[in-house]
Amino acid sequence: MNNKKITSRRIYSALLTATCLLFPTTAPRAAETLNLLNWEEYLSEAVIERWQAETGVQIRQVYFDSGDRRDEVLAKPGHQIDIALTELISADRFGQRGLLDPIDAASLPNLKHIPQRWQNNCGPHAVPYLWGTLGIAYRADRLHTAPQSWADLLQPAERDEPHIIMMEDHEDILAGPLIYQQHSINTTSNEELKRAFELLTAQSSAVLSYEYAITSLRSQHHLDTADMALAYSGDQQVLNDVEGIEGEPWRYVVPKEGTLLWVDCLSVTASGTKKQLAYRFLNFINDPQIAALNATELGVATPNAAAKALLPDDMKADLTIYPPAEVLENSQVYEPRPLASTQTRRRIISALINAHDAR
């Protein structure tokens, strides 16, 4: 993404912010706090300011950097989280355990802006938030040839020289190996999972860290050695803003074998004491103007059809954000699966990371 595009989007989002602040829809109320469990930098500051200006309610974000960390928080009694970022598998599992509320659609009139296909990708215990793809972030200034295949990440030419950042998430780290080996990302086959594990094990000598790339680089780790990372669409923009990164060397590509189409969702916790506020926030974030502002600021695709119509043209034309039809057709989505399969995946990643760290 070039500087001109970034500047135009920032101008556009600034105009959206100004419009939102000039025309608030509700009067301020007494100060309260809504606790949101979220990825870091995954809610626009401009949106937070608009929400707080309208409601007087503070947003307190608790950050996680992998799905496993998120699940640990939600599983603990007394976590005090009101709204959690989830996806279909976690929302389904925690919903069945009674830890997330079934969504009361009648309390969310702005859900009408989200097509049913996206709502189906979150299930009955969550509402769609943002979506994108899984792929490879890479340093265009360090690699002579841009990666095109999952093999470039999983079977790098320089196997004994650590230069890759992966991630600890037991779902997403296995997606690339499974797709590369032409298996379903939802497989419950131990043999297929074993082959994916073997591919990751062979790759591990080239891995710098299994810490999420944004977390790792923002901590000033591996700035001078990392040139590829398992990443989500949009991550490259955050990586280019990391202190110590000059210019915009990080790019993003979807491998030719296909990808994971992820849909992030928002859920209301069953133990939360601020249900009315939580639903007010979910409806607020799905207001088309707010959803457009959030998507523009973050550089991530919105499932909100009315919001997409408000996005700047260059963002709608950006194929790393809104990929072409052939990429979407060659993408897989997560489906609910037996808990035993998830536990197998967790054991795989634990063994992988423990072996790597023991070197």
Side-chain angles (χ1 to χ4, degrees):
M1 183 182 303
N2 59 40
N3 287 326
K4 184 177 180 181
K5 285 185 179 179
I6 289 178
T7 300
S8 68
R9 288 182 194 169
R10 285 175 178 165
I11 292 171
Y12 184 86
S13 63
L15 291 172
L16 272 176
T17 303
T19 303
C20 291
L21 292 173
L22 283 171
F23 300 101
T25 58
T26 57
R29 54 180 290 171
E32 292 184 77
T33 300
L34 200 59
N35 295 323
L36 170 63
L37 184 62
N38 196 11
W39 294 99
E40 190 172 1
E41 293 200 20
Y42 206 44
L43 177 63
S44 159
E45 286 296 327
V47 168
I48 294 173
E49 290 172 8
R50 165 71 189 270
W51 163 263
Q52 292 179 169
E54 282 197 10
T55 66
V57 177
Q58 302 296 308
I59 296 291
R60 174 179 172 264
Q61 296 193 74
V62 177
Y63 298 123
F64 61 87
D65 60 5
S66 76
D68 289 342
R69 298 282 184 255
R70 183 265 322 280
D71 293 352
E72 288 173 8
V73 173
L74 289 179
K76 287 182 180 178
H79 54 60
Q80 298 185 329
I81 299 297
D82 299 300
I83 300 173
L85 188 85
T86 57
E87 29 65 36
L88 179 61
I89 293 176
S90 62
D92 181 71
R93 185 161 297 136
F94 283 109
Q96 289 184 15
R97 291 171 58 184
L99 299 179
L100 298 177
D101 277 355
I103 292 298
D104 177 11
S107 298
L108 299 173
N110 281 330
L111 275 184
K112 66 186 179 184
H113 301 300
I114 301 179
Q116 192 61 47
R117 65 160 292 199
W118 294 116
Q119 296 189 44
N120 292 343
N121 280 314
C122 286
H125 296 90
V127 297
Y129 177 54
L130 295 165
W131 69 271
T133 56
L134 182 74
I136 303 172
Y138 66 97
R139 290 279 305 241
D141 59 336
R142 290 182 183 164
L143 298 182
H144 298 299
T145 304
Q148 298 180 346
S149 165
W150 284 113
D152 295 316
L153 182 75
L154 299 169
Q155 298 174 320
E158 300 172 341
R159 288 221 179 180
D160 296 323
E161 181 180 334
H163 62 289
I164 294 170
I165 297 178
M166 294 296 284
M167 62 176 66
E168 191 176 349
D169 190 284
H170 69 272
E171 301 284 358
D172 295 344
I173 195 175
L174 285 164
L178 289 169
I179 292 170
Y180 180 60
Q181 295 176 326
Q182 299 183 339
H183 300 314
S184 167
I185 61 172
N186 297 296
T187 184
T188 58
S189 165
N190 286 338
E191 184 59 34
E192 292 177 355
L193 291 171
K194 179 183 177 183
R195 287 201 290 271
F197 170 63
E198 290 169 348
L199 197 53
L200 290 170
T201 300
Q203 177 214 32
S204 65
S205 59
V207 174
L208 289 161
S209 173
Y210 291 92
E211 184 177 49
Y212 182 39
I214 289 176
T215 304
S216 184
L217 267 63
R218 290 196 65 172
S219 300
Q220 300 296 295
H221 299 154
H222 314 304
L223 284 179
D224 298 325
T225 48
D227 58 27
M228 275 198 293
L230 180 63
Y232 306 108
S233 52
D235 282 357
Q236 75 278 11
Q237 298 185 52
V238 181
L239 294 175
N240 283 327
D241 284 337
V242 169
E243 183 179 354
I245 300 293
E246 298 295 331
E248 297 176 347
W250 284 100
R251 308 283 176 83
Y252 175 83
V253 63
V254 171
K256 62 184 181 181
E257 296 88 0
T259 186
L260 154 70
L261 180 69
W262 53 263
V263 182
D264 280 335
C265 315
L266 293 171
S267 297
V268 177
T269 62
S271 61
T273 59
K274 300 168 184 173
K275 301 293 177 69
Q276 186 174 1
L277 266 182
Y279 273 96
R280 184 175 179 183
F281 179 81
L282 292 186
N283 199 56
F284 167 86
I285 202 69
N286 279 301
D287 176 278
Q289 196 173 67
I290 298 299
L293 173 61
N294 195 50
T296 302
E297 289 268 309
L298 299 181
V300 181
T302 174
N304 189 309
K308 184 181 178 182
L310 301 176
L311 298 178
D313 290 340
D314 72 292
M315 182 173 176
K316 287 185 284 189
D318 190 329
L319 298 183
T320 67
I321 300 174
Y322 286 99
E326 57 267 26
V327 171
L328 296 180
E329 291 168 1
N330 199 26
S331 300
Q332 300 186 41
V333 296
Y334 285 131
E335 299 170 358
R337 73 173 72 92
L339 179 59
S341 179
T342 295
Q343 291 172 335
T344 299
R345 291 165 183 254
R346 286 183 171 141
R347 287 194 295 270
I348 285 173
I349 301 313
S350 178
L352 177 71
I353 294 173
N354 288 340
H356 178 271
D357 292 347
R359 289 198 184 101

